[in-house]
Amino acid sequence: MASLFKDPSKLSAYRDRKFPGNQEEFEHALQTSITVYIGNMSFYTTEEQVYELFSRAGEIKKIIMGLDKNTKTPCGFCFVLYYSREDCEDAVKYISGTILDDRPIRVDFDWGFQEGRQWGRGRSGGQVRDEYRTDYDPDILSGGYGKLVQRE
Ligand code: GTA
């Protein structure tokens, strides 16, 4: 399993369009960072629940909840910062895919938290991907379907 983490291009399928650097710098950041991104979370999951689950992989330095930029309420993602790279890798290896509040969460390597990254970038304030969701999801506050899809 650890060998999977040796190829920097395979660390994450996600490419942050707002990363201030080239692909090589992005991959280097992913390889060395002590931050993970958690996606597909319930909007009702609290920081305390995240703390409890993710401290199983190691001591947590900080948790930053992802917020809807309009309502300032949780919108389904967060960042967890560890003290060690090993703990960060363990979170990706062992916690990704586990169920938190009835949802299979996704734990992804992240290039590092910076102020501003806690806000959803979608047009309606939440995450971009929620606006394109076509499957029913009772945790989407719009009523279950992606907001843009719903309008079409
Ligand atoms: N490390 O997977 C991730 C990740 N995601 C999805 C978001 N962040 C992530 N970080 C890591 N790994 O700080 C971070 C962002 C930001 C914060 C909120 O979370 O760096 P966001 O989700 O609101 O906006 O970010 P983002 O990331 O800019 O959205 P993006 O990349 O356009 O789209 C996310 C996903 O939405 C796509 O991968 C795709 O699955 C779906 N999507 C986007 N556009 C379309 C479309 N036109 N049609 C269908 N699906 C679409």
Side-chain angles (χ1 to χ4, degrees):
M1 193 72 180
S3 60
L4 267 183
F5 294 157
K6 287 197 177 124
D7 181 348
S9 68
K10 297 219 166 61
L11 283 179
S12 172
Y14 174 79
R15 174 73 165 91
D16 187 356
R17 292 168 292 135
K18 299 209 169 166
F19 176 76
N22 61 29
Q23 184 62 22
E24 201 183 322
E25 289 163 329
F26 183 69
E27 287 174 2
H28 181 258
L30 284 184
Q31 268 182 312
T32 52
S33 130
I34 48 161
T35 303
V36 288
Y37 160 93
I38 324 302
N40 201 34
M41 282 168 57
S42 159
F43 291 5
Y44 304 105
T45 298
T46 63
E47 190 171 325
E48 288 70 28
Q49 286 173 282
V50 173
Y51 189 87
E52 201 202 313
L53 178 60
F54 283 84
S55 52
R56 292 182 198 175
E59 196 184 342
I60 293 172
K61 191 175 183 180
K62 200 171 179 184
I63 293 173
I64 296 130
M65 297 298 284
L67 302 174
D68 181 299
K69 62 177 179 283
N70 298 325
T71 61
K72 313 284 190 276
T73 55
C75 67
F77 73 101
C78 78
F79 297 97
V80 175
L81 280 64
Y82 286 99
Y83 286 97
S84 96
R85 174 67 186 181
E86 205 186 335
D87 296 347
C88 188
E89 292 188 1
D90 281 349
V92 174
K93 262 195 258 181
Y94 303 119
I95 305 181
S96 194
T98 63
I99 307 292
L100 178 61
D101 263 346
D102 296 330
R103 296 176 65 86
I105 53 168
R106 185 168 63 87
V107 184
D108 191 28
F109 286 110
D110 187 72
W111 62 271
F113 178 75
Q114 295 204 337
E115 182 49 39
R117 293 197 62 210
Q118 71 271 40
W119 305 114
R121 295 173 181 171
R123 273 190 268 165
S124 56
Q127 284 205 273
V128 175
R129 58 183 51 213
D130 287 340
E131 300 184 330
Y132 295 95
R133 208 178 281 230
T134 52
D135 54 327
Y136 182 76
D137 178 351
D139 281 330
I140 298 297
L141 301 180
S142 66
Y145 293 96
K147 289 171 185 164
L148 296 181
V149 171
Q150 214 171 19
R151 249 179 254 143
E152 280 162 8

